């Protein structure tokens, strides 16, 4: 029986029933002992009187009393006839037999009081048992109300086995889940507020610029060449806002797990080559060279399109921060445990104080020369990499090199 509460209740019932049976047995034994004692005393008195009157019949009288007489049946019938003459029959009420009636009445009272006491003990045991159970339920109910009200400091102590203990464990789990969910909601609320503030700040500058250019365009005396220049500047600002908004939406979808990555075993080198093909013109413009190292085939489970989105940001940064004529090294190291991808340029580098914040959203290094940067690209890259259960870190020395290391774990 797995239900501990029911098991305990059944044990109590069995113990009480056993005690009642023992009480009944003892009562019967006392009743029989008293009946036997009084019967011997009564028959002894009759025997003495008969023997005093007829001493010669002492042996016969004792035979009859001990049921050893050969003709006891005949004497028993004659005895019944004599009793009937005095109105004594077998079907008479026991109250007409004083000796027997006293014993039966005393025995009945003993049994009645025993049943009353047993009933009271059983009622008391039930009351205590149910009081304990309902007190525990009341405690759980009160605790649940406090948890709903936001008080997570309450404790639920129930160390015994049984259904109540299982319920207490469920409540503890529920408290942990609700607490975590509320903390996550508060964190998301705080993050959303901060994100909206950052977005507002990021959009304020291009919107202000577009507004100023539009006011200048409304001037009819403005030469056509200047109008075209202002329109081109507006186009650049609009493009910048579009990139910012698109990247923000991508990051938000990844954070909300609203994107289903189509992961499959693919050669990571081919994925990188696809990105390099799209950046070929930028590479030629800056007269850069790509230096491949390591294996040419490394199978990694990933979503090709999203991984290319992440690598595109890293390689664009490497191109934009390299000096004309420099090289960019790409190293792929494949082992049975992990696959490591290293993208390194030898350009501007990153200051030591900026390194801890490089993956933060909207963060721009104080020495950055990219005035049109939104500071969202590396945050998006990190979100995509981590969504593939991979790790990304950066090493850099100012005016020497910048190295991004991505590690894909295979187990």
């Amino acid at each position: 029986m797995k239900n501990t509460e029911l098991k305990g209740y059944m044990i109590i019932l069995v113990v009480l029933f056993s005690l009642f049976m023992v009480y009944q047995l003892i009562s019967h034994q006392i009743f029989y002992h008293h009946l036997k004692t009084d019967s011997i005393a009564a028959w002894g008195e009759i025997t003495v009187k008969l023997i005093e009157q007829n001493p010669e019949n002492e042996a016969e009288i004792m035979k009859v009393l001990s049921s050893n007489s050969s003709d006891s049946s005949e004497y028993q019938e004659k005895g019944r006839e004599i009793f009937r003459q005095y109105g004594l029959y077998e079907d008479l009420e026991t109250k007409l037999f004083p000796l027997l009636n006293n014993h039966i009445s005393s025995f009945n009272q003993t049994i009645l009081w025993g049943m009353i006491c047993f009933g009271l003990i059983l009622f008391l045991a039930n009351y205590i048992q149910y009081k304990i159970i309902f007190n525990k339920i009341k405690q759980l109910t009160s605790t649940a109300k406090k948890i709903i009200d936001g008080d997570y400091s309450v404790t639920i102590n129930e160390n015994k086995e049984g259904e109540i203990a299982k319920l207490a464990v469920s409540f503890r789990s529920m408290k942990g889940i609700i607490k975590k969910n509320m903390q996550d909601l508060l964190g998301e609320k705080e993050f959303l507020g901060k994100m909206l503030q950052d977005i507002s700040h990021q959009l304020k500058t291009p919107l202000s610029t577009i507004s100023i250019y539009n006011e200048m365009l409304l001037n009819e005396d403005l030469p056509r060449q200047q109008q075209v220049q202002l329109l081109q500047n507006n186009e650049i600002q609009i493009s910048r806002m579009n990139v910012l908004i698109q990247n923000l939406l991508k990051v938000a979808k990844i954070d909300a797990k609203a994107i289903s990555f189509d992961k499959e075993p693919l050669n990571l080198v081919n994925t990188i080559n696809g990105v390099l093909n799209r950046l070929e013109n930028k590479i030629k413009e800056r007269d850069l060279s790509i230096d491949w190292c390591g294996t040419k085939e490394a199978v990694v489970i990933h979503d090709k399109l999203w991984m290319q989105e992440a690598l595109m940001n890293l390689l664009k940064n490497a191109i934009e921060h390299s000096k004309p004529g420099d090289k960019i090294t790409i190293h792929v190291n494949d082992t049975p445990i992990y696959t490591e991808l290293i993208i390194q340029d030898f350009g501007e580098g990153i200051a030591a104080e900026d390194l801890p914040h490089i993956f933060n959203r909207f963060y721009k290094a104080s020495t950055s020369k990219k005035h049109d940067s939104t500071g969202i690209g590396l945050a998006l890259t990190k979100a995509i990499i981590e969504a593939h259960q991979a790790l990304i870190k950066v090493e850099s020395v100012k005016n020497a090199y910048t190295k991004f290391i991505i590690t894909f774990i295979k187990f």
Side-chain angles (χ1 to χ4, degrees):
M1 188 182 295
K2 296 182 179 180
N3 191 322
T4 306
E5 288 82 10
L6 183 59
K7 184 193 296 184
Y9 181 68
M10 294 301 295
I11 291 174
I12 292 173
L13 283 181
V14 170
V15 170
L16 291 177
F17 182 75
S18 300
L19 291 175
F20 181 72
M21 292 301 295
V22 170
Y23 173 80
Q24 289 279 62
L25 181 63
I26 294 174
S27 299
H28 278 82
Q29 291 298 323
I30 293 173
F31 169 73
Y32 294 144
H33 175 72
H34 288 167
L35 184 62
K36 180 175 65 175
T37 302
D38 289 348
S39 297
I40 291 174
W43 284 111
E45 182 182 353
I46 295 171
T47 302
V48 169
K49 290 183 177 181
L50 289 174
I51 292 174
E52 287 179 350
Q53 295 177 5
N54 301 286
E56 68 279 3
N57 295 330
E58 180 177 351
E60 290 296 326
I61 292 171
M62 293 307 301
K63 285 182 180 180
V64 170
L65 291 176
S66 60
S67 300
N68 291 325
S69 175
S70 59
D71 51 357
S72 60
S73 298
E74 178 181 352
Y75 282 104
Q76 288 175 3
E77 185 59 34
K78 289 180 178 181
R80 291 192 185 95
E81 287 296 330
I82 295 172
F83 283 151
R84 291 190 187 103
Q85 294 177 9
Y86 290 93
L88 298 176
Y89 301 92
E90 289 88 341
D91 55 353
L92 287 176
E93 295 182 6
T94 55
K95 65 181 181 180
L96 297 176
F97 300 87
L99 179 63
L100 183 60
N101 182 63
N102 289 337
H103 286 295
I104 293 176
S105 176
S106 176
F107 176 72
N108 288 339
Q109 289 181 11
T110 303
I111 297 298
L112 178 62
W113 281 111
M115 293 180 67
I116 292 173
C117 292
F118 173 75
L120 290 174
I121 294 173
L122 185 61
F123 175 80
L124 182 62
N126 276 326
Y127 175 77
I128 295 173
Q129 185 80 3
Y130 282 106
K131 186 175 179 60
I132 292 172
I133 293 174
F134 284 119
N135 280 341
K136 290 179 180 179
I137 295 174
K138 185 178 179 181
Q139 182 184 2
L140 290 174
T141 304
S142 175
T143 302
K145 187 176 184 303
K146 290 181 180 179
I147 292 173
I148 293 172
D149 293 337
D151 182 7
Y152 303 109
S153 62
V154 293
T155 57
I156 304 172
N157 298 319
E158 181 59 43
N159 300 321
K160 297 181 179 179
E161 296 182 357
E163 300 303 318
I164 298 293
K166 292 179 181 178
L167 184 60
V169 171
S170 299
F171 265 87
R172 281 196 291 266
S173 300
M174 180 192 71
K175 183 185 77 170
I177 293 171
I178 293 175
K179 183 179 180 180
K180 184 179 182 303
N181 289 340
M182 290 303 297
Q183 289 175 343
D184 290 344
L185 286 173
L186 290 174
E188 289 176 5
K189 183 179 179 181
E190 182 180 352
F191 167 73
L192 182 60
K194 185 177 179 181
M195 189 175 185
L196 290 173
Q197 184 179 0
D198 290 337
I199 293 172
S200 174
H201 176 73
Q202 291 293 325
L203 293 177
K204 185 184 296 182
T205 301
L207 284 173
S208 299
T209 304
I210 292 172
S211 178
I212 293 171
Y213 289 161
N214 282 344
E215 288 180 4
M216 295 174 65
L217 286 169
L218 290 174
N219 186 352
E220 297 179 357
D221 298 330
L222 199 65
R224 177 61 182 171
Q225 185 179 357
Q226 290 186 4
Q227 290 180 348
V228 172
Q229 182 64 39
L230 291 174
L231 288 172
Q232 289 175 346
N233 290 338
N234 276 353
E235 182 66 25
I236 292 172
Q237 297 300 324
I238 292 171
S239 175
R240 179 186 174 190
M241 287 192 298
N242 183 57
V243 171
L244 172 63
I245 292 170
Q246 291 298 323
N247 286 339
L248 282 173
L249 287 173
K250 290 174 184 177
V251 173
K253 287 180 179 179
I254 293 173
D255 286 346
K257 296 182 174 56
I259 294 176
S260 177
F261 290 96
D262 187 16
K263 299 177 185 177
E264 54 183 328
L266 297 171
N267 187 358
L268 183 62
V269 176
N270 292 340
T271 301
I272 299 170
N273 281 326
V275 178
L276 291 174
N277 290 336
R278 292 160 61 182
L279 295 173
E280 186 175 1
N281 291 334
K282 285 183 175 291
I283 295 172
K284 288 181 179 180
E285 285 176 6
R286 300 185 64 84
D287 192 25
L288 301 174
S289 62
I290 304 298
D291 186 9
W292 275 95
C293 301
T295 182
K296 295 297 181 182
E297 183 174 357
V299 177
V300 174
I301 299 175
H302 64 281
D303 185 308
K304 183 176 180 179
L305 294 178
W306 280 101
M307 188 56 64
Q308 285 183 338
E309 177 88 24
L311 297 178
M312 176 73 74
N313 289 326
L314 296 180
L315 287 169
K316 279 178 66 177
N317 280 346
I319 293 170
E320 292 170 355
H321 292 284
S322 294
K323 299 174 184 177
D326 275 356
K327 70 176 180 179
I328 297 173
T329 63
I330 300 175
H331 183 85
V332 179
N333 181 27
D334 191 39
T335 72
I337 300 175
Y338 64 87
T339 298
E340 186 178 65
L341 168 63
I342 301 174
I343 299 175
Q344 183 174 3
D345 68 77
F346 301 89
E348 301 171 7
I350 304 170
E353 62 269 19
D354 293 323
L355 276 177
H357 313 287
I358 202 69
F359 292 111
N360 293 350
R361 295 171 191 178
F362 307 113
Y363 183 79
K364 291 174 63 177
S366 56
T367 58
S368 176
K369 298 178 181 179
K370 291 181 63 180
H371 301 292
D372 60 342
S373 173
T374 60
I376 196 69
L378 288 178
L380 175 59
T381 296
K382 186 173 186 290
I384 294 172
I385 296 298
E386 291 181 346
H388 284 76
Q389 287 75 51
L391 305 173
I392 183 171
K393 65 178 182 177
V394 61
E395 297 175 2
S396 185
V397 175
K398 188 64 177 174
N399 298 318
Y401 71 89
T402 299
K403 182 193 296 184
F404 286 95
I405 305 165
I406 304 172
T407 305
F408 299 89
I409 307 299
K410 292 186 176 181
F411 57 89

